[in-house]
């Protein structure tokens, strides 16, 4: 983030001299320090006396706005309010540490220590099946974009020309700054090895990914597409390289989480990717239909049922007792009929346990 720009207004010559004397120390804390002296020497009108201040305010506001556009920090009042709250909390705990806006924006969704594990798993599969370098770099870059520039995130309407191309300025900070602050250290941990991965220094490997992230983000802006669409197009373009890559420890759709659902083609995805790449089942909340695997383009036909965020863990336990087990079974049937829902009663429970004849009632 850039440092603030300051305009100092004085009405006395002594005040102006004091500011000039301390200007070097102020320059270390601010990007720009302007001094406007409103001392009325020529007995002009109040409007004329304040014209230099008006011009300076307008000029500095334009410069600050342009700087924010270039840094992708043109945030709304809602964003600034949330940043201010988190900055206050941070300063109250560690007043001497600088406030990191990028890390603050990922609070609750941090790039954790599992990312290198998932990245390493993917690279080992690429080495095993001799996947070329270019698709590998594109795969990782598009996954990073989808992770940080979330589908549906806030955007600023088209308002300027950049290199003669009208673009959408996506909020979410400069992609190079984001990569360097959140992902670079993890990518350095897993420098790939192999006959076609020839890097004299880990920085070269990271630079390839950083450049690809920046290029892909520009494509998102010019084509006005979401990070999900870009990820989908990228996976489809190199589908022949991903068809053989299969693992039960890493969701290859995002490279961020462990998979929880297995498709019929052998690829596995996590809950989050089920929401992104699937379609919501008509008339049913938190159910998503996956019709095809994005990695291999094969037909999937899988309905993934997610647990609602407001739902707790539901447990069904049924006692045994020989013939008395029939009573429990009949009670469950009566309960299902009374609820009158178009799906079976056992869908309401996360776990079901039974003893003796009760174990047959929970099947």
């Amino acid at each position: 983030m850039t440092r603030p720009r300051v305009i100092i207004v004085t009405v006395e010559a002594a005040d102006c001299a004091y500011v000039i004397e301390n200007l070097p120390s102020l320059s270390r804390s601010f990007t720009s320090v302007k001094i406007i002296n409103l001392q009325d020497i020529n007995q002009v009108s109040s409007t004329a006396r304040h014209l230099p201040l008006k011009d300076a305010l307008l000029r500095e506001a334009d410069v600050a706005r342009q700087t924010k556009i270039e840094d992708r920090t043109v945030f709304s009042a809602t964003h600034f309010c949330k940043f201010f709250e988190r900055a206050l909390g941070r300063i109250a705990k560690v007043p001497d540490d600088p406030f990191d806006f990028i890390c603050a924006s990922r609070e609750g969704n941090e790039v954790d220590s599992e990312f290198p594990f998932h990245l390493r798993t993917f690279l080992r599969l690429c080495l095993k099946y001799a996947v070329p370098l270019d698709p590998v770099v594109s795969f990782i870059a598009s996954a990073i974009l989808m992770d940080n520039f979330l589908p549906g995130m806030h955007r600023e309407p088209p308002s300027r020309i950049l290199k003669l191309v009208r673009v959408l300025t996506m909020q979410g900070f400069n992609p190079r700054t984001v990569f360097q602050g959140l992902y670079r250290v993890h990518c350095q941990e897993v420098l790939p090895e192999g006959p076609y991965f020839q890097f004299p220094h880990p920085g070269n490997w990271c630079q390839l990914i950083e450049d690809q992230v920046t290029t892909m983000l520009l494509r998102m802006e010019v084509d006005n597409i979401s990070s999900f669409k870009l990820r989908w197009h990228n996976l489809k373009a190199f589908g022949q390289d991903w068809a053989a890559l299969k693992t039960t420890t890493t969701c290859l759709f995002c490279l961020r989480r462990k998979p929880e659902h297995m498709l019929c083609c052998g690829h596995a995805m996590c809950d989050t990717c089920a929401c992104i790449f699937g379609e919501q089942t008509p008339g049913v909340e938190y159910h998503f239909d996956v019709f095809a695997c994005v990695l291999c383009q094969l037909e999937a036909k899988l309905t993934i049922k997610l647990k609602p965020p407001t739902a707790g863990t539901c447990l069904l336990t049924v006692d045994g007792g020989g013939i008395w087990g029939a009573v429990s079974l009949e009670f469950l049937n009566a309960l299902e009929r009374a609820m009158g829902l178009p799906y079976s009663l056992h869908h309401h429970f996360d776990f079901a346990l039974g003893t003796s004849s009760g174990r047959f009632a929970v099947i």
Side-chain angles (χ1 to χ4, degrees):
M1 298 293 288
T2 57
R3 291 174 295 170
R5 309 178 67 86
V6 175
I7 296 178
I8 299 176
V9 181
T10 65
V11 293
E12 299 291 340
D15 295 336
C16 187
Y18 176 81
V19 171
I20 295 175
E21 181 182 347
N22 292 273
L23 194 58
S25 61
L26 291 173
S27 299
R28 290 193 294 268
S29 302
F30 303 99
T31 300
S32 170
V33 179
K34 303 290 184 182
I35 304 173
I36 304 295
N37 185 12
L38 297 183
Q39 186 177 12
D40 190 4
I41 299 177
N42 300 320
Q43 301 295 319
V44 297
S45 66
S46 177
T47 301
R49 188 158 59 99
H50 286 82
L51 276 178
L53 177 59
K54 176 183 176 181
D55 293 339
L57 287 172
L58 292 175
R59 186 168 54 252
E60 291 297 309
D62 289 340
V63 172
R65 171 74 177 179
Q66 185 60 36
T67 302
K68 289 180 179 179
I69 290 175
E70 294 172 357
D71 290 343
R72 302 175 185 272
T73 54
V74 186
F75 296 116
S76 66
T78 301
H79 294 129
F80 278 117
C81 181
K82 184 58 66 173
F83 276 132
F84 187 69
E85 290 178 5
R86 293 180 178 177
L88 284 179
R90 177 70 177 177
I91 293 174
K93 295 178 181 178
V94 279
D96 295 332
D97 288 354
F99 180 70
D100 191 323
F101 283 82
I102 294 178
C103 289
S105 70
R106 293 297 299 258
E107 188 173 304
N109 185 32
E110 294 83 0
V111 182
D112 52 32
S113 57
E114 288 191 358
F115 181 63
F117 167 79
H118 297 311
L119 198 57
R120 189 176 292 109
T121 300
F122 167 69
L123 291 174
R124 286 173 178 170
L125 288 171
C126 292
L127 182 61
K128 178 180 178 180
Y129 293 99
V131 181
L133 175 61
D134 288 345
V136 170
V137 173
S138 295
F139 189 100
I140 296 173
S142 61
I144 288 175
L145 277 177
M146 192 175 73
D147 177 57
N148 194 77
F149 297 88
L150 304 175
M153 69 181 298
H154 168 72
R155 293 185 179 187
E156 180 189 14
S159 59
R160 65 189 181 94
I161 301 295
L162 175 63
K163 295 181 180 179
L164 304 181
V165 178
R166 183 169 289 276
V167 300
L168 284 174
T169 304
M170 297 188 64
Q171 307 310 300
F173 307 103
N174 186 291
R176 294 190 182 276
T177 307
V178 170
F179 179 82
Q180 293 167 8
L182 298 178
Y183 301 97
R184 185 181 183 88
V185 63
H186 299 303
C187 291
Q188 286 178 334
E189 290 183 31
V190 290
L191 179 67
E193 300 175 357
Y196 48 89
F197 288 151
Q198 300 296 330
F199 300 105
H201 189 272
N204 297 16
W205 156 249
C206 295
Q207 191 63 48
L208 282 175
I209 301 176
E210 181 180 325
D211 291 344
Q212 189 67 16
V213 167
T214 305
T215 301
M216 285 185 168
L217 183 61
L218 181 60
R219 178 189 167 189
M220 287 170 55
E221 295 173 334
V222 173
D223 296 344
N224 190 20
I225 60 175
S226 68
S227 58
F228 152 67
K229 281 295 183 182
L230 185 138
R231 175 70 169 165
W232 186 86
H233 288 308
N234 179 264
L235 294 178
K236 186 176 181 180
F238 299 100
Q240 71 279 2
D241 296 313
W242 318 132
L245 276 58
K246 298 175 182 178
T247 174
T248 58
T249 59
T250 294
C251 175
L252 296 178
F253 292 84
C254 65
L255 291 182
R256 274 296 313 276
R257 290 164 285 272
K258 294 181 179 179
E260 296 158 293
H261 309 282
M262 183 68 68
L263 304 180
C264 57
C265 60
H267 291 114
M269 64 168 47
C270 63
D271 282 346
T272 301
C273 288
C275 299
I276 295 175
F277 292 98
E279 298 180 14
Q280 186 170 351
T281 305
V284 184
E285 286 187 303
Y286 304 106
H287 285 205
F288 293 86
D289 297 321
V290 179
F291 298 104
C293 175
V294 185
L295 292 171
C296 62
Q297 309 303 314
L298 294 179
E299 193 173 321
K301 290 185 178 180
L302 176 67
T303 297
I304 297 176
K305 304 170 184 177
L306 304 181
K307 183 178 178 181
T310 56
T313 301
C314 297
L315 175 65
L316 171 65
T317 61
V318 181
D319 292 334
I323 191 61
W324 292 105
V327 176
S328 300
L329 184 59
E330 183 57 33
F331 174 79
L332 293 175
N333 287 334
L335 180 60
E336 183 173 290
R337 291 193 299 270
M339 295 179 69
L341 296 175
Y343 48 86
S344 178
L345 180 67
H346 72 270
H347 288 301
H348 288 275
F349 300 97
D350 300 300
F351 302 98
L353 304 173
T355 60
S356 186
S357 59
R359 62 186 176 181
F360 298 105
V362 300
I363 295 179

